Amino acid sequence: EPKVGKNRVLVDVHSIGLNPLDYRLRRGEMGPLVTFSKPRLIASDFSGRVLEVGPCVTDLTPGDRVCGMVNQVFTGTSAERLSVSRANLSKSPGNVDDSTAAGIPLAALTAYQALHELGDIAAGKRVLVNGASGGVGTFATQIAKHAGAHVTAVTSYRNADWMPEIGADEVIDYTKTDFTAGKAPYDIVFDCYGNRSFAKTKPVLSDRGIYISTIPAARNYTTTAANPFRSQKSRVVVVRSKSKDLHAINQLIEAGALKPIIDSRFAFTEFHKAYEKLETKRAKGKIIVQLKDG
């Protein structure tokens, strides 16, 4: 049974959300990260209800609906009950159910921190989201639009029709057009898919444009090191579990300004099917695994 420390919360887990990080860990692509805990819990995202709070937690009570994310270097979320730091969660939005709430934290925080902290998003900026139909991409498209930006979504013809529904002003079908060969100057190119480098995107960046990648590859960090010597910048977003940011995101969801896009939901007994769908890299939004019914 998980122990509840003074700044921790015991959560009865309802659902978990899957992310590309999960299959990369399962395949052993993340090196030593897979050896820190055995048996290994998977997934970063969770939702559920508070069972117990530590003595220093004063703003949550048993029964509260919460969602959050943890750092998979240390643990995962695929368990019936979790002891989680108060700093790693927020109350779930009141207008979404528990399984949907599990699809919010990691993807939404990645998009939010990339655009607000690294991209300095503002009204009037031109933003391109590469991989706009995925988990991070669907949140990024909506967050950029809410900030008043002009948003171009890059996806395939399979998803082009619903991109305007989440805020895209323009849509590029990558099966027909390579956005890096275009002429439009973008203030931010957010590469959620990870298949375009800073060098490839430089021609379509504005003079002080910013390229942001979700891939913590060596080449991306090497490129970032040269930022002081050029006006165009390259950055890598490394998501952090920040309760303040997650609370801001959940407020946007409650206000109807942001909507979690859920591709599919699987029962806990169908874990392998959820992974198979995840590894196609064609999920429309998030994939959820429910530990509980309803």
Side-chain angles (χ1 to χ4, degrees):
E1 190 70 22
K3 298 183 182 300
V4 183
K6 62 181 182 179
N7 291 306
R8 301 184 74 81
V9 178
L10 182 64
V11 178
D12 185 35
V13 179
H14 182 282
S15 296
I16 61 176
L18 297 186
N19 296 282
L21 173 64
D22 299 310
Y23 73 73
R24 294 183 68 196
L25 283 168
R26 183 180 61 78
R27 290 175 174 177
E29 295 176 7
M30 304 300 286
L33 291 185
V34 299
T35 65
F36 280 95
S37 61
K38 296 180 180 179
R40 180 158 189 92
L41 299 178
I42 67 113
S44 303
D45 295 328
F46 69 91
S47 67
R49 293 181 183 269
V50 174
L51 291 175
E52 184 182 346
V53 299
C56 292
V57 178
T58 60
D59 58 342
L60 293 174
T61 58
D64 284 344
R65 297 174 60 243
V66 293
C67 62
M69 64 165 282
V70 300
N71 188 331
Q72 282 207 53
V73 171
F74 304 106
T75 187
T77 60
S78 56
E80 294 174 299
R81 288 177 293 281
L82 295 174
S83 176
V84 186
S85 168
R86 173 64 185 88
N88 289 340
L89 53 78
S90 172
K91 288 186 178 180
S92 296
N95 57 344
V96 302
D97 59 21
D98 287 326
S99 65
T100 301
I104 297 170
L106 187 146
L109 283 168
T110 301
Y112 187 89
Q113 292 168 4
L115 292 173
H116 282 280
E117 297 181 10
L118 302 183
D120 194 24
I121 188 74
K125 288 197 173 184
R126 295 181 60 86
V127 177
L128 180 141
V129 180
N130 185 37
S133 60
V136 175
T138 52
F139 280 112
T141 301
Q142 296 178 79
I143 290 170
K145 187 63 177 179
H146 181 262
H150 180 281
V151 185
T152 298
V154 179
T155 186
S156 76
Y157 62 88
R158 304 175 189 89
N159 302 304
D161 60 337
W162 58 275
M163 288 293 100
E165 297 176 15
I166 61 171
D169 297 290
E170 298 180 43
V171 182
I172 295 176
D173 176 0
Y174 69 76
T175 68
K176 297 180 179 179
T177 304
D178 181 355
F179 77 85
T180 64
K183 296 181 179 180
Y186 298 103
D187 299 299
I188 302 171
V189 169
F190 187 17
D191 185 10
C192 303
Y193 198 78
N195 63 344
R196 290 293 183 270
S197 65
F198 172 69
K200 287 280 189 180
T201 59
K202 282 179 65 177
V204 294
L205 282 174
S206 62
D207 290 342
R208 295 187 175 276
I210 301 171
Y211 164 84
I212 305 172
S213 176
T214 59
I215 306 300
R219 74 171 186 183
N220 288 333
Y221 286 113
T222 300
T223 304
T224 298
N227 280 341
F229 308 103
R230 58 172 181 251
S231 59
Q232 294 175 320
K233 307 299 183 184
S234 172
R235 291 172 179 159
V236 180
V237 58
V238 178
V239 65
R240 290 162 293 157
S241 182
K242 296 172 65 175
S243 179
K244 180 182 178 182
D245 288 352
L246 185 55
H247 177 67
I249 290 164
N250 287 343
Q251 284 188 312
L252 290 176
I253 293 171
E254 285 200 329
L258 196 60
K259 179 183 178 182
I261 306 299
I262 305 301
D263 176 276
S264 46
R265 306 170 204 263
F266 295 87
F268 189 71
T269 54
E270 300 176 310
F271 232 122
H272 64 291
K273 292 182 180 179
Y275 263 97
E276 288 171 355
K277 184 62 180 288
L278 180 69
E279 294 184 51
T280 66
K281 298 183 180 180
R282 288 185 176 175
K284 300 175 182 180
K286 292 302 301 290
I287 295 173
I288 306 299
V289 177
Q290 297 184 191
L291 277 66
K292 292 181 172 59
D293 296 329

